[in-house]
Every structure is written in C-alpha cells, then in structure tokens.
Amino acid sequence: MRVPWHRAFSAPGVLFAGLGFAALLAPFMTIAANRIVAGDGIRAWDMAPDYATWPGLAAVLVGLLLGLPERLALVRLGGAVQGLCGLVLLLSIGGPALLEGAGTNARVSPALGFWCLLGIFLLLVADALVRMAPGPPARAGLLALAVGALAAVLGSGVLSDLSVLQEYASRREAFLAAAWRHLGLAFGSLALAAVIGFPLGILCHRAANLRAATLPVLSFLQTIPSLAMFGLMIPVLSWVGRTVPGAEAAGIAGIGFAPAFLALVLYALLPIVGNTVAGLAATPPAAREAARGMGMTPGQRLWRVELPLGLPVILTGLRIVLVQNIGLAVIAGLIGGGGFGTFVFQGLNQTATDLILLGALPTVALALTAALFMDILVDLTRPAQEARHD
Amino acid sequence: MIEIIGLTKTYDSVKAVDDVTLTVESGTITVIVGTSGSGKTTLLRMVNRLEEPTSGEVRINGASTQAVAPHILRRRIGYVIQGNGLFPHHTVARNIAAVPNLLNWPRDRIAARVDELLDLFSLDPDQYRDRYPADLSGGQQQRVGVARALASRPDLMLMDEPFGALDPIIRARAQDDLRRIQRKLGSTILLVTHDMEEAIRLADRIAVMDGGRLVQYDAPARIIAHPATGFVADMVGDVERPLRLLSLIPVSEVVTDGSADGAAISAEASLRDALSACLWTGRTAVPVERDGVRIGQVTLDAIRARAEFRA
C-alpha cells in the first residue's frame, strides 16, 4: 500500500530537521582569550579546514535527514545516535584547531549551535524510543549503554581541550569529593526520608485524623523557597549544635552537611508520604473488601494487597524525591554543604561560566539518569495484568 | 445450621436491621431479597462480623460467632461480593488459594484444591491457572470469585449481589452453575439480591426484608402464592405470579404419556419454558425428552392447571 507523501514523514522529524539546519548556522563553538571573558562564536565549518570538519558535518546533516521517515523508528534512532557522534567529532576537531596559536590562556567552549543540536538529537532519540516502546530490561540496557558511551567519550580525552574539562582537570580531587558529597546528600536524604515517610504514610492511610493533620504541614514545608529553607536551617542547627551535648562533635552545626541534609529530608517528606497514602488508597475497593471478608488481618491486607498494588505509585514518589533532591542539593553549596553546588557558586562569584557548567552538567546528567532508572523500576513493579494491556 | 437470633443493627438511632430471627438449614440456599436500604446487606455482613451487631447473636452449627476473633471467623466463611473483588496482581491460582494460604495449608494440597475448583467451574486448569484476572471475561472472573470463596470448604458461604455486574445471559448461566455446584457440594449459602427473579431461581427459602425487618421467610412457592404483605406481593409482581410459579416446577412433574409433534423439551426444563414453547409454536402439547430419549409429553392443560391460584 502506498503511503501518502505527507504521512511518510515523521512530524517531529521534520520539525527537528528544520531546527537542526537552522542551528548549524549558529556559532558551534566559542574561543575566548581566557576563562573569564566572553568568547567569539565560530560556525562549525569555520573551525578548521574543510577536510577536517566535513565528516562531522556530514554525520550531523545525514543524522537529521534520517530522522524523517515516519515508519522506520530504528532508522530515526540510528540517525540520532549518528548525529550525536558527529557532534562529538566536531568538538574534538574544533577544540585543538581553534586553540592552535591562540595563546596559553585561551579557552574553547561549545556554543549555542552545539547545545541546540545536542537537544535536538536527544529529543529525536527519545521520540524514536517512545515509538519503539522497548520493555524495562531493554531500556535498562540502553541506559547503561548511554552512560557507558558518555563515560568512554569523557575518559578518552578527545574533548579534554574544552574549557569545562580544563576546569575539571585543574580540580580533579575536589570534583570527586563533590560528586560523592552530592550523591550522599541526595541519596542519604532520600533514605532517611523514606525511613520516616513510609511508616508515616501507612499510619496516615489508616488514620484519617493523622492524614488531615500531616499532609498540610508537609505541603507547607514544600512551599518554603529552597534558598530560604537552607538559610533557615543555619540558626536552627547552630542552636542545636551549641545546646545539645555531643551534637557538635557529631558534626551538627549551622553550616555544612547537616543543615543541607535536613532541608533535603524535609522537602522529600511530602512526595513520599503523599504518594504512599495515594498508592495505598488506590487498591480497588472490592479487592479491599474481599481481603477483609476472607479473614486477612490488617497487616496481611497491607503486605499482600495494598502495598503490592500501590507500589508503582509509591515508587513514583521516590522518583520525584530523587530527581528533586539531586537538583536541590546544588543549593547546599551555598551553606557549605558541598556537592556540585560548590562549583556553581564559585563559578558565579568568578563569572566563570565553565566552572558553573562543571557543577551544573553533572547535576543534570545525574538527575536524568536517576529519573530514567526509576521509571524502569516503576514499570517493573507495575502489576503484570496492566502491562499486558498497555 | 445457621441461626440468626434477634439480630439488630442501629446507626445513629436508625435501625438498619431490626430484630431479625431466621434459621438456615445446612445444605440449602437462603436468599435475602429487599430493596436498597432494606438492611439486607447489613444483615449479611453481620454474619461474618464485617459489621458488629448492636444486639442479637449468630450461631454457626451451634457456636456463637462472638466466640472467636473476627478474622478467624471469616476464614471459615466464604464471601463473594459484587464485582468479585479478585486481587488484580495475583494469578487465578493465587486468588483461589488466598484463604487456604491464610490457613497455612501445605503447598501441594493447595495446588490440588485449586485445580479441582477450576475443573468444577469449567475452567481448564492448565489454561487458566496462571492467568491474571484482567485476562478473563466478566463471567470467568465471577466464577473464580466463587471458587475462591469455596476453596477452604467453608461452613457457610455469604454472597452479596454476586451476579449484579453480569449481563443477563451470563447471569442466568452463573445462577445455574451456582445451583449445580451447591447441590453437588451440599454447601450452605446465604445470598443477598434485590432481584426476586434471581431469588426464585436459586432459593430453597426466601427471606424478604423491608425497612430493616424480616417480613416473610418461606419457600419460593409460598412467597409467590401467599405473600405475607403488600410489599412482598409488589416484590413478586402481580402480573408475573403465575409465570414465576411455573418457573419453579420442572416439566418432569407433569409429564404424561403421549407423543406430541415438533421439537422436544428437556425434562429438567421448567413449566414456564414448556408454556413458552407451546405458545410460540401454537401447539397444545410438547414432547418431553430426557438424555435425548422421548419419555412423553406435557400438555397446555396440565401447565394451566399448575399455574392456577389454589388457596
């Protein structure tokens, strides 16, 4: 059967191809005299001699065109991956070429054109994957592959001329410490909030009075602006550190890890308690009535019926918290809590954009990976009967 | 034997169930009929203590239901509700095994019981054991719900509008199945419905409730022929009384010698079906067969004689 020509093209593919060609006209990289001043934008084909840039340019252009056919999701996926490879190739060619003879302090960075194309290809990947609808195990494999590819590109050193990686090279130790601290803040606060939040959610599910009292308080905490929350922790915890015996020795003080950690826990409680309550309430009323009528004790109803049926909703709460905490933990840098926020705020003070990016980019990557990972987990726990009818 | 003695339930000084006393013989089906708000469901739920009685008592085979903790009591009483209440995240086998699991039956005994019940409800165990409720039709889900309630061989089965969610054709089949299985197993069943037709079809005894009170407790034929109050008469429906009476009588009771022409009717069919066959095909008699062999005929006169009101 012939497909009408306008149906043969993927609508997002057409849009992204148009935007992608326009983005190629924008500066692909910038070169600046040092790490502080603004740089000059250079188009992709002006970065180096033609023979050096054309493989990368061709990969990007063909990648955009491969995004067009509506019915061939695998081709669209392949095109997008090829485009991403082209972008990396262009960066690796452009970096050394632009730096040559530009002085020892000169810095090169990706510019508007690169970021737009990166976004476009990532969206093309997402669109193709949505169409292909891979199962949770396949998605886990793809996620591992993507993380592995990113690590390989960064580890290989082909991009080490980029300014943001130069910032990294000069503070390798600090970056590693910040990464661990960031993970500790995000996952540690998630764990503590879960330990408090799950039992609280179960109690709220059981007792309407407690629910009516608890959820508004947690909602109120959620409305406190994050900067204010971290700020408020300073006097509270410095008072605790001064007055409670042993607290200071345990590292509890107005600034540092403890106030940041506590603020994140408070933010995490509403999604965890709220989703636990919603998940437990999602049990079909007839199933709950049948469970009671057949002689299950309240504990048996919780473990055998309500928790398994509510698990996808409860895990969705954890997903919200994890992504939210990875983002919010940046602000911990402001009150000496460490983490990637340290670089963001140092960069802001020094007006060094690439130092800001050194804090921001890993945060974004971490949040994205966590979100995709949790999505896979949620899908795995969805009752089998739903998955079959999707 | 189930004895309900002076059972009363009061909500904020309103009597939902008002001093109901009735006895259900073992191995019989008792159907409680009433309009919504008549207290029939509350009465049923007091038997397995999903509702605690304000006063009165229930005894199962002589033992008071208050003698044990509610969840222990409920494991001995099958419970089927409208919309079946199957656990969507458990397979058919695990749903049926729910109460045996609570009772800690050994694994192989549970597996054997599950297969036995699936067979009993005409669901091939190999095909259905590992399916999820969402993969079944409404009628199949309902059968699994009843099988689950029967799994631990309970002393008593309570059914609250068990066929309410089924369409009419599947409902008739489910009712026939229930009757067949109840006869085979000798189960004692207390069933609640708002549908008098269903009550007449299933019941050994019908309890009619109105405004929380038991207004009549009798065999179906007596409920139809001698309604105790205007309310009962309304529930039966004046116009349909002769037909309802006929629906209770099997053709085999009035079969006579003779060989009428045309398509035959089964000896297990009701006189109502026979009447329908006569009227539809313009015959005054219909041949009767049992197991494919003609055993005589049923005449329109014989049907008419049984449908007449005899005080």
Side-chain angles (χ1 to χ4, degrees):
Chain A
M1 197 180 74
R2 266 184 65 83
V3 180
W5 66 270
H6 59 276
R7 294 258 188 83
F9 294 114
S10 147
V14 173
L15 176 68
F16 289 140
L19 289 174
F21 290 135
L24 266 181
L25 299 176
F28 191 80
M29 294 183 86
T30 61
I31 175 143
N34 57 51
R35 63 193 281 260
I36 308 296
V37 299
D40 300 318
I42 315 282
R43 288 193 176 121
W45 56 86
D46 295 331
M47 297 188 309
D50 284 350
Y51 63 86
T53 52
W54 79 257
L57 277 170
V60 168
L61 286 170
V62 174
L64 286 171
L65 291 175
L66 288 179
L68 291 176
E70 164 72 21
R71 304 192 146 213
L72 307 171
L74 194 61
V75 169
R76 299 216 303 276
L77 180 65
V81 171
Q82 182 199 308
L84 289 171
C85 294
L87 292 181
V88 173
L89 189 61
L90 283 173
L91 285 184
S92 69
I93 301 278
L98 290 175
L99 280 181
E100 206 172 285
T104 46
N105 288 330
R107 291 294 184 103
V108 285
S109 307
L112 180 67
F114 168 81
W115 295 116
C116 287
L117 282 164
L118 179 67
I120 285 166
F121 282 123
L122 288 179
L123 286 170
L124 276 170
V125 168
D127 179 56
L129 285 179
V130 165
R131 198 60 56 88
M132 292 161 74
R139 268 159 49 210
L142 286 172
L143 181 61
L145 212 63
V147 171
L150 183 63
V153 167
L154 293 176
S156 70
V158 293
L159 299 182
S160 56
D161 284 327
L162 296 185
S163 180
V164 61
L165 287 172
Q166 303 235 315
E167 298 288 346
Y168 164 72
S170 62
R171 34 176 88 68
R172 225 177 273 261
E173 300 277 309
F175 183 85
L176 217 63
W180 282 117
R181 176 56 71 86
H182 205 96
L183 290 172
L185 278 172
F187 283 88
S189 62
L190 172 77
L192 181 59
V195 168
I196 300 169
F198 286 145
L200 190 58
I202 290 168
L203 287 176
C204 283
H205 171 63
R206 286 288 159 74
N209 295 344
L210 185 65
R211 181 165 64 236
T214 307
L215 288 181
V217 172
L218 296 181
S219 301
F220 168 72
L221 286 178
Q222 204 78 9
T223 62
I224 301 176
S226 47
L227 271 175
M229 176 79 102
F230 283 88
L232 283 172
M233 287 298 129
I234 296 177
V236 173
L237 283 196
S238 60
W239 179 81
V240 171
R242 279 198 315 273
T243 50
V244 177
E248 200 147 24
I252 294 177
I255 57 170
F257 185 80
F261 190 80
L262 184 61
L264 290 178
V265 169
L266 291 180
Y267 276 126
L269 281 176
L270 178 67
I272 290 184
V273 175
N275 279 49
T276 303
V277 170
L280 295 178
T283 311
R288 182 175 296 137
E289 165 84 357
R292 224 181 129 218
M294 72 171 57
M296 286 193 187
T297 60
Q300 287 167 335
R301 295 207 300 273
L302 179 69
W303 285 104
R304 298 185 186 196
V305 182
E306 291 168 337
L307 268 181
L309 284 174
L311 202 56
V313 178
I314 294 170
L315 281 181
T316 304
L318 282 188
R319 177 195 186 279
I320 294 170
V321 167
L322 191 54
V323 174
Q324 169 185 293
N325 277 11
I326 289 173
L328 278 177
V330 169
I331 298 176
L334 200 63
I335 55 170
F340 291 132
T342 316
F343 302 129
V344 173
F345 290 109
Q346 279 177 13
L348 283 171
N349 286 336
Q350 303 171 8
T351 63
T353 316
D354 293 308
L355 189 52
I356 300 176
L357 285 180
L358 183 65
L361 289 179
T363 308
V364 172
L366 199 57
L368 203 60
T369 311
L372 292 172
F373 178 76
M374 289 301 290
D375 280 342
I376 293 168
L377 215 56
V378 170
D379 270 8
L380 280 176
T381 57
R382 230 173 260 287
Q385 82 287 348
E386 275 180 53
R388 285 183 198 194
H389 288 270
D390 272 352
Chain B
M1 189 170 67
I2 318 302
E3 295 161 275
I4 294 173
I5 305 156
L7 214 51
T8 299
K9 178 72 181 181
T10 311
Y11 294 110
D12 303 332
S13 81
V14 178
K15 282 187 172 173
V17 173
D18 186 1
D19 193 20
V20 170
T21 297
L22 62 84
T23 301
V24 177
E25 295 299 330
S26 292
T28 65
I29 301 184
T30 292
V31 177
I32 307 170
V33 195
T35 51
S36 52
S38 63
K40 58 187 191 301
T41 293
T42 308
L43 177 64
L44 189 81
R45 288 164 61 89
M46 282 193 283
V47 174
N48 65 355
R49 292 177 64 193
L50 286 171
E51 305 281 351
E52 292 293 348
T54 309
S55 63
E57 193 186 15
V58 179
R59 288 192 203 140
I60 298 176
N61 298 333
S64 168
T65 54
Q66 296 292 331
V68 290
H71 67 276
I72 302 293
L73 171 75
R74 289 177 200 142
R75 291 174 191 177
R76 294 193 345 233
I77 302 176
Y79 187 51
V80 180
I81 52 178
Q82 180 168 3
N84 69 61
L86 294 178
F87 301 136
H89 59 305
H90 287 175
T91 60
V92 165
R94 213 166 148 200
N95 265 291
I96 294 176
V99 179
N101 268 324
L102 292 176
L103 296 171
N104 290 319
W105 284 20
R107 193 183 293 240
D108 47 348
R109 185 174 168 210
I110 292 178
R113 180 66 177 153
V114 166
D115 286 1
E116 185 187 347
L117 282 162
L118 284 172
D119 273 330
L120 188 63
F121 283 87
S122 321
L123 295 164
D124 176 17
D126 289 333
Q127 201 185 337
Y128 287 98
R129 201 186 285 127
D130 297 324
R131 294 212 189 167
Y132 284 89
D135 296 334
L136 306 181
S137 71
Q140 289 169 335
Q141 289 177 4
Q142 198 274 339
R143 277 184 270 164
V144 173
V146 180
R148 176 172 72 176
L150 287 169
S152 65
R153 304 177 202 278
D155 304 326
L156 165 68
M157 188 150 79
L158 305 177
M159 307 181 86
D160 189 358
E161 300 268 6
F163 310 119
L166 302 180
D167 64 61
I169 293 172
I170 296 173
R171 186 184 309 156
R173 166 138 187 241
Q175 289 164 347
D176 289 346
D177 278 352
L178 180 68
R179 194 73 222 188
R180 171 177 63 84
I181 286 162
Q182 183 269 337
R183 292 232 167 92
K184 187 165 169 183
L185 303 179
S187 327
T188 310
I189 295 177
L190 196 54
L191 184 147
V192 158
T193 181
H194 63 271
D195 179 3
M196 184 57 93
E197 175 100 30
E198 181 165 281
I200 292 168
R201 230 181 142 107
L202 290 172
D204 295 301
R205 301 255 266 164
I206 294 177
V208 183
M209 286 193 67
D210 182 24
R213 304 179 73 91
L214 180 65
V215 290
Q216 189 169 9
Y217 183 45
D218 235 326
R222 291 202 41 93
I223 296 267
I224 296 166
H226 304 283
T229 66
F231 176 78
V232 181
D234 284 346
M235 285 294 286
V236 176
D238 268 345
V239 182
E240 293 170 51
R241 280 162 67 180
L243 294 175
R244 293 208 151 140
L245 213 48
L246 289 178
S247 73
L248 288 171
I249 307 167
V251 167
S252 55
E253 273 190 26
V254 295
V255 67
T256 52
D257 290 337
S259 54
D261 293 328
I265 190 166
S266 159
E268 279 82 44
S270 71
L271 286 186
R272 182 174 169 172
D273 300 328
L275 174 66
S276 173
C278 284
L279 295 177
W280 189 247
T281 55
R283 290 178 284 177
T284 54
V286 183
V288 179
E289 61 178 25
R290 173 173 284 145
D291 302 328
V293 181
R294 300 215 169 183
I295 58 169
Q297 63 177 9
V298 55
T299 64
L300 200 49
D301 288 337
I303 298 172
R304 187 181 297 138
R306 294 302 296 264
E308 273 168 23
F309 176 66
R310 285 158 296 154

